[in-house]
Amino acid sequence: MIAKISSGKDTAGLIRYLYGPGRANERTDPHLVASWDGFAPDPGRSNDFNATRKLLVADLDLRLHQANRLGRAPKQHVWHCSLRASPEDRTLSDDEWAAIGRRIVAATGIAPEGDPDGCRWVAVRHAEDHIHIAATKVRGDLRTARHWNDYLTADKELAAIEKDYGLQQVIRGDRTAAKRPTRAEREKALRTGHQRAARERLRSTVRTAVSDATSPDEFLDILARTDTVHVDIQYFPSGDIRGYKIALEGDTNAAGDPIWHSGSKLAPDLSFPKIRERLTDLDTPPTTAPENRRPNPWHQATAAAERIPIRLARSDDATAQAHIAAFGEALDALPLLAPKGLRPQLQQAAIVFERATRSRIRAQQDQARALRSAIRALRTAPVTGDGSGLAMFLDVALLVVTAAAHWHQLRQHNQQVTAAHQTLTHLQTAYQEAARAPLASLAQRQPPTHTIERHAKQLRAVVPDYAEEVLEDPAWSALATVLTEAETAGHDPERLLQHVARQHTLDDAHSAAQVLTWRILRLSQRQAPSARARAAQTRSTVRIAPSPAQVSPVRSVKGGPAPRGPRR
């Protein structure tokens, strides 16, 4: 059950609205279910609707007129609260809605229980799933009602009501969510042929610009060069930038002027000070190295993202929150880098995960520079060839989002948990599409049978609990290929398997073979150890080798930090 609360100054107008037919004649039986004294006149049950409506308005405004004569009436004297049940809830009776209405006006301070001077109010029901409470804020002692933080107190009471009445328990937020579009904004979007309201599209535009910029000035420059928006930059008298406003091209008011939105109104983390904090002194990777010696930026981004679950498990909350926010910027950037066919799912993943990037915990932004720098380096390295870089990153992204959902769940960030789980659905779809071509390309290069059998033996020795599952997976051919190519480059395949198996758990992997393929492919790109180094490693292994009784195979990576979660 959710509440919406607003204030106004026209009691008669509100009552006329509550008893009216509605915009689409959806109200068939508006009637009163409760009132301040149980005896308020009900226009919906009267033979003379207009006369009774006027009488009800006069009764509600009685104390307002008295306070007016003393010059003590508030300007916004009307209090309006709508209460709506969830679609899954049973139909409540009039008596149940009446009891709920009384609890809400008591909890919010409009009419405290047992207070004879409480405000006058009525609860009107004109649909099965909701009621409206209308009240005047002047108490019997002609003071204005103390209803501060009424939304929070009403929401807390609704949580108790849901338990008491056996209703659907709504996932509640922490007031860090971006402002939702109004009904008028949604209807305007549909009229103009858009699925999303203007403020939602502007929010995505700004977040994408943040993910692409390396400094506050570059962020504003990117916005200014975006054809679909207008940007207005505000300055302090000193000449320093104070903030920015943004408007969507073609989104105007009745006078034809652009409808502006400040960054802070789009989302709490999109104000200019917040963006400046994230972008100031952002390290960017050097680009002066020869082309053939530059590290693969997709591998760098994947390596940075792969460390996030570890940081979520071991870091303080401020640092962990910063890494989740930085990963959100990575998702914002992916649609700009991915093939056209993958963009819808990636865009939706970024939009949904945006809710999981904020909480009441203040992020320590300087702790997430590595991932931000790696993602910005991808601007010069779009997806090319078989797209293995993107598939590799998305494979790790599934792990990161699962870990983020677990982190939020431990802190009872319910809306963020839901957002993370929804993100997994979109990322899973994008990953499957992105991985298809590179996995097929690797499978076509599979090594001879005797080499495959040798790698299978190594696999059974290193990860016996997953070996048969991997060997029966269609991706086994691709894994055998990367093991062979790694060996050709000078790596020890068995050591690589041991290393990647200890990094993170395979328990939640949709395909252990694919996870191992991407991890080994990335590690094999590193320079192989020299012959002297390999000899030293061998001598070290011999010196510390345990007795046969102490030897136990690597069962899985349960020592890794990633939580159990939805199978990827």
Side-chain angles (χ1 to χ4, degrees), residues 181-199:
T182 64
R183 177 175 177 176
E185 289 174 330
R186 293 195 302 269
E187 292 177 349
K188 183 177 182 179
L190 294 177
R191 287 197 307 270
T192 56
H194 295 93
Q195 294 298 318
R196 302 170 65 212
R199 74 168 62 244

PDB file of all heavy atoms in Angstrom, residues 181-199:
ATOM      1  N   PRO A 181       8.401  10.475 -12.888  1.00  0.00           N
ATOM      2  CA  PRO A 181       7.625  11.426 -13.692  1.00  0.00           C
ATOM      3  C   PRO A 181       6.191  11.498 -13.197  1.00  0.00           C
ATOM      4  O   PRO A 181       5.644  10.507 -12.695  1.00  0.00           O
ATOM      5  CB  PRO A 181       7.712  10.842 -15.101  1.00  0.00           C
ATOM      6  CG  PRO A 181       8.003   9.391 -14.905  1.00  0.00           C
ATOM      7  CD  PRO A 181       8.845   9.302 -13.672  1.00  0.00           C
ATOM      8  N   THR A 182       5.611  12.665 -13.319  1.00  0.00           N
ATOM      9  CA  THR A 182       4.217  12.827 -12.913  1.00  0.00           C
ATOM     10  C   THR A 182       3.297  12.186 -13.956  1.00  0.00           C
ATOM     11  O   THR A 182       3.723  11.815 -15.056  1.00  0.00           O
ATOM     12  CB  THR A 182       3.868  14.313 -12.786  1.00  0.00           C
ATOM     13  OG1 THR A 182       3.983  14.934 -14.089  1.00  0.00           O
ATOM     14  CG2 THR A 182       4.819  15.009 -11.820  1.00  0.00           C
ATOM     15  N   ARG A 183       2.048  12.078 -13.582  1.00  0.00           N
ATOM     16  CA  ARG A 183       1.081  11.509 -14.521  1.00  0.00           C
ATOM     17  C   ARG A 183       0.999  12.365 -15.781  1.00  0.00           C
ATOM     18  O   ARG A 183       0.932  11.840 -16.902  1.00  0.00           O
ATOM     19  CB  ARG A 183      -0.305  11.426 -13.855  1.00  0.00           C
ATOM     20  CG  ARG A 183      -1.404  10.917 -14.777  1.00  0.00           C
ATOM     21  CD  ARG A 183      -2.706  10.754 -14.018  1.00  0.00           C
ATOM     22  NE  ARG A 183      -3.793  10.323 -14.899  1.00  0.00           N
ATOM     23  CZ  ARG A 183      -5.009  10.030 -14.478  1.00  0.00           C
ATOM     24  NH1 ARG A 183      -5.300  10.104 -13.188  1.00  0.00           N
ATOM     25  NH2 ARG A 183      -5.944   9.657 -15.331  1.00  0.00           N
ATOM     26  N   ALA A 184       1.040  13.676 -15.603  1.00  0.00           N
ATOM     27  CA  ALA A 184       0.981  14.570 -16.769  1.00  0.00           C
ATOM     28  C   ALA A 184       2.191  14.357 -17.677  1.00  0.00           C
ATOM     29  O   ALA A 184       2.063  14.377 -18.916  1.00  0.00           O
ATOM     30  CB  ALA A 184       0.913  16.019 -16.311  1.00  0.00           C
ATOM     31  N   GLU A 185       3.372  14.150 -17.079  1.00  0.00           N
ATOM     32  CA  GLU A 185       4.575  13.923 -17.877  1.00  0.00           C
ATOM     33  C   GLU A 185       4.489  12.606 -18.645  1.00  0.00           C
ATOM     34  O   GLU A 185       4.910  12.518 -19.804  1.00  0.00           O
ATOM     35  CB  GLU A 185       5.804  13.937 -16.974  1.00  0.00           C
ATOM     36  CG  GLU A 185       6.153  15.316 -16.430  1.00  0.00           C
ATOM     37  CD  GLU A 185       7.284  15.273 -15.432  1.00  0.00           C
ATOM     38  OE1 GLU A 185       7.443  14.252 -14.737  1.00  0.00           O
ATOM     39  OE2 GLU A 185       8.018  16.282 -15.333  1.00  0.00           O
ATOM     40  N   ARG A 186       3.947  11.581 -17.995  1.00  0.00           N
ATOM     41  CA  ARG A 186       3.799  10.288 -18.680  1.00  0.00           C
ATOM     42  C   ARG A 186       2.816  10.382 -19.834  1.00  0.00           C
ATOM     43  O   ARG A 186       3.054   9.846 -20.927  1.00  0.00           O
ATOM     44  CB  ARG A 186       3.350   9.219 -17.685  1.00  0.00           C
ATOM     45  CG  ARG A 186       4.397   8.878 -16.627  1.00  0.00           C
ATOM     46  CD  ARG A 186       4.031   7.579 -15.909  1.00  0.00           C
ATOM     47  NE  ARG A 186       2.727   7.664 -15.272  1.00  0.00           N
ATOM     48  CZ  ARG A 186       2.529   8.061 -14.022  1.00  0.00           C
ATOM     49  NH1 ARG A 186       3.568   8.435 -13.285  1.00  0.00           N
ATOM     50  NH2 ARG A 186       1.315   8.089 -13.490  1.00  0.00           N
ATOM     51  N   GLU A 187       1.708  11.051 -19.592  1.00  0.00           N
ATOM     52  CA  GLU A 187       0.704  11.183 -20.647  1.00  0.00           C
ATOM     53  C   GLU A 187       1.242  12.008 -21.818  1.00  0.00           C
ATOM     54  O   GLU A 187       0.967  11.712 -22.987  1.00  0.00           O
ATOM     55  CB  GLU A 187      -0.569  11.820 -20.078  1.00  0.00           C
ATOM     56  CG  GLU A 187      -1.304  10.918 -19.101  1.00  0.00           C
ATOM     57  CD  GLU A 187      -2.515  11.593 -18.485  1.00  0.00           C
ATOM     58  OE1 GLU A 187      -2.653  12.829 -18.669  1.00  0.00           O
ATOM     59  OE2 GLU A 187      -3.317  10.904 -17.829  1.00  0.00           O
ATOM     60  N   LYS A 188       2.018  13.031 -21.508  1.00  0.00           N
ATOM     61  CA  LYS A 188       2.614  13.854 -22.563  1.00  0.00           C
ATOM     62  C   LYS A 188       3.588  13.033 -23.401  1.00  0.00           C
ATOM     63  O   LYS A 188       3.631  13.169 -24.632  1.00  0.00           O
ATOM     64  CB  LYS A 188       3.337  15.051 -21.933  1.00  0.00           C
ATOM     65  CG  LYS A 188       3.939  16.014 -22.949  1.00  0.00           C
ATOM     66  CD  LYS A 188       4.570  17.196 -22.246  1.00  0.00           C
ATOM     67  CE  LYS A 188       5.142  18.207 -23.241  1.00  0.00           C
ATOM     68  NZ  LYS A 188       5.750  19.373 -22.542  1.00  0.00           N
ATOM     69  N   ALA A 189       4.358  12.160 -22.746  1.00  0.00           N
ATOM     70  CA  ALA A 189       5.298  11.311 -23.480  1.00  0.00           C
ATOM     71  C   ALA A 189       4.554  10.397 -24.440  1.00  0.00           C
ATOM     72  O   ALA A 189       4.957  10.223 -25.600  1.00  0.00           O
ATOM     73  CB  ALA A 189       6.138  10.503 -22.493  1.00  0.00           C
ATOM     74  N   LEU A 190       3.455   9.806 -23.978  1.00  0.00           N
ATOM     75  CA  LEU A 190       2.688   8.912 -24.841  1.00  0.00           C
ATOM     76  C   LEU A 190       2.068   9.665 -26.017  1.00  0.00           C
ATOM     77  O   LEU A 190       2.024   9.149 -27.141  1.00  0.00           O
ATOM     78  CB  LEU A 190       1.599   8.215 -24.023  1.00  0.00           C
ATOM     79  CG  LEU A 190       2.097   7.235 -22.945  1.00  0.00           C
ATOM     80  CD1 LEU A 190       0.936   6.674 -22.147  1.00  0.00           C
ATOM     81  CD2 LEU A 190       2.881   6.090 -23.595  1.00  0.00           C
ATOM     82  N   ARG A 191       1.616  10.892 -25.755  1.00  0.00           N
ATOM     83  CA  ARG A 191       1.029  11.690 -26.846  1.00  0.00           C
ATOM     84  C   ARG A 191       2.060  12.006 -27.924  1.00  0.00           C
ATOM     85  O   ARG A 191       1.714  12.120 -29.105  1.00  0.00           O
ATOM     86  CB  ARG A 191       0.449  12.996 -26.294  1.00  0.00           C
ATOM     87  CG  ARG A 191      -0.820  12.838 -25.505  1.00  0.00           C
ATOM     88  CD  ARG A 191      -1.541  14.190 -25.370  1.00  0.00           C
ATOM     89  NE  ARG A 191      -0.681  15.236 -24.841  1.00  0.00           N
ATOM     90  CZ  ARG A 191      -0.543  15.512 -23.551  1.00  0.00           C
ATOM     91  NH1 ARG A 191      -1.212  14.808 -22.651  1.00  0.00           N
ATOM     92  NH2 ARG A 191       0.245  16.500 -23.151  1.00  0.00           N
ATOM     93  N   THR A 192       3.304  12.157 -27.504  1.00  0.00           N
ATOM     94  CA  THR A 192       4.357  12.510 -28.466  1.00  0.00           C
ATOM     95  C   THR A 192       5.087  11.287 -29.001  1.00  0.00           C
ATOM     96  O   THR A 192       6.122  11.422 -29.658  1.00  0.00           O
ATOM     97  CB  THR A 192       5.366  13.471 -27.811  1.00  0.00           C
ATOM     98  OG1 THR A 192       5.885  12.865 -26.602  1.00  0.00           O
ATOM     99  CG2 THR A 192       4.701  14.796 -27.469  1.00  0.00           C
ATOM    100  N   GLY A 193       4.569  10.096 -28.680  1.00  0.00           N
ATOM    101  CA  GLY A 193       5.136   8.883 -29.258  1.00  0.00           C
ATOM    102  C   GLY A 193       6.352   8.331 -28.549  1.00  0.00           C
ATOM    103  O   GLY A 193       7.144   7.611 -29.164  1.00  0.00           O
ATOM    104  N   HIS A 194       6.509   8.635 -27.248  1.00  0.00           N
ATOM    105  CA  HIS A 194       7.661   8.142 -26.491  1.00  0.00           C
ATOM    106  C   HIS A 194       7.190   7.247 -25.347  1.00  0.00           C
ATOM    107  O   HIS A 194       6.142   7.483 -24.754  1.00  0.00           O
ATOM    108  CB  HIS A 194       8.482   9.299 -25.923  1.00  0.00           C
ATOM    109  CG  HIS A 194       9.118  10.160 -26.963  1.00  0.00           C
ATOM    110  ND1 HIS A 194       8.502  11.303 -27.449  1.00  0.00           N
ATOM    111  CD2 HIS A 194      10.288  10.048 -27.630  1.00  0.00           C
ATOM    112  CE1 HIS A 194       9.286  11.860 -28.363  1.00  0.00           C
ATOM    113  NE2 HIS A 194      10.371  11.113 -28.497  1.00  0.00           N
ATOM    114  N   GLN A 195       7.963   6.225 -25.051  1.00  0.00           N
ATOM    115  CA  GLN A 195       7.637   5.322 -23.957  1.00  0.00           C
ATOM    116  C   GLN A 195       8.076   5.884 -22.607  1.00  0.00           C
ATOM    117  O   GLN A 195       7.541   5.486 -21.566  1.00  0.00           O
ATOM    118  CB  GLN A 195       8.311   3.962 -24.182  1.00  0.00           C
ATOM    119  CG  GLN A 195       7.776   3.205 -25.386  1.00  0.00           C
ATOM    120  CD  GLN A 195       6.303   2.860 -25.242  1.00  0.00           C
ATOM    121  OE1 GLN A 195       5.852   2.446 -24.166  1.00  0.00           O
ATOM    122  NE2 GLN A 195       5.548   3.049 -26.302  1.00  0.00           N
ATOM    123  N   ARG A 196       9.056   6.779 -22.627  1.00  0.00           N
ATOM    124  CA  ARG A 196       9.596   7.316 -21.384  1.00  0.00           C
ATOM    125  C   ARG A 196       9.377   8.818 -21.336  1.00  0.00           C
ATOM    126  O   ARG A 196       9.445   9.509 -22.357  1.00  0.00           O
ATOM    127  CB  ARG A 196      11.082   6.996 -21.264  1.00  0.00           C
ATOM    128  CG  ARG A 196      11.388   5.507 -21.314  1.00  0.00           C
ATOM    129  CD  ARG A 196      12.870   5.262 -21.443  1.00  0.00           C
ATOM    130  NE  ARG A 196      13.591   5.718 -20.263  1.00  0.00           N
ATOM    131  CZ  ARG A 196      14.822   6.194 -20.282  1.00  0.00           C
ATOM    132  NH1 ARG A 196      15.470   6.325 -21.425  1.00  0.00           N
ATOM    133  NH2 ARG A 196      15.404   6.565 -19.171  1.00  0.00           N
ATOM    134  N   ALA A 197       9.134   9.340 -20.131  1.00  0.00           N
ATOM    135  CA  ALA A 197       8.900  10.773 -19.956  1.00  0.00           C
ATOM    136  C   ALA A 197      10.192  11.554 -20.193  1.00  0.00           C
ATOM    137  O   ALA A 197      11.291  11.005 -20.193  1.00  0.00           O
ATOM    138  CB  ALA A 197       8.373  11.047 -18.548  1.00  0.00           C
ATOM    139  N   ALA A 198      10.037  12.856 -20.394  1.00  0.00           N
ATOM    140  CA  ALA A 198      11.182  13.713 -20.722  1.00  0.00           C
ATOM    141  C   ALA A 198      12.253  13.651 -19.645  1.00  0.00           C
ATOM    142  O   ALA A 198      13.443  13.553 -19.948  1.00  0.00           O
ATOM    143  CB  ALA A 198      10.709  15.149 -20.922  1.00  0.00           C
ATOM    144  N   ARG A 199      11.866  13.714 -18.366  1.00  0.00           N
ATOM    145  CA  ARG A 199      12.863  13.712 -17.300  1.00  0.00           C
ATOM    146  C   ARG A 199      13.627  12.382 -17.279  1.00  0.00           C
ATOM    147  O   ARG A 199      14.803  12.349 -16.947  1.00  0.00           O
ATOM    148  CB  ARG A 199      12.242  14.022 -15.948  1.00  0.00           C
ATOM    149  CG  ARG A 199      11.437  12.915 -15.327  1.00  0.00           C
ATOM    150  CD  ARG A 199      11.105  13.185 -13.857  1.00  0.00           C
ATOM    151  NE  ARG A 199      10.291  14.370 -13.684  1.00  0.00           N
ATOM    152  CZ  ARG A 199      10.716  15.435 -13.031  1.00  0.00           C
ATOM    153  NH1 ARG A 199      11.927  15.473 -12.526  1.00  0.00           N
ATOM    154  NH2 ARG A 199       9.926  16.477 -12.885  1.00  0.00           N
TER     155      ARG A 199
END
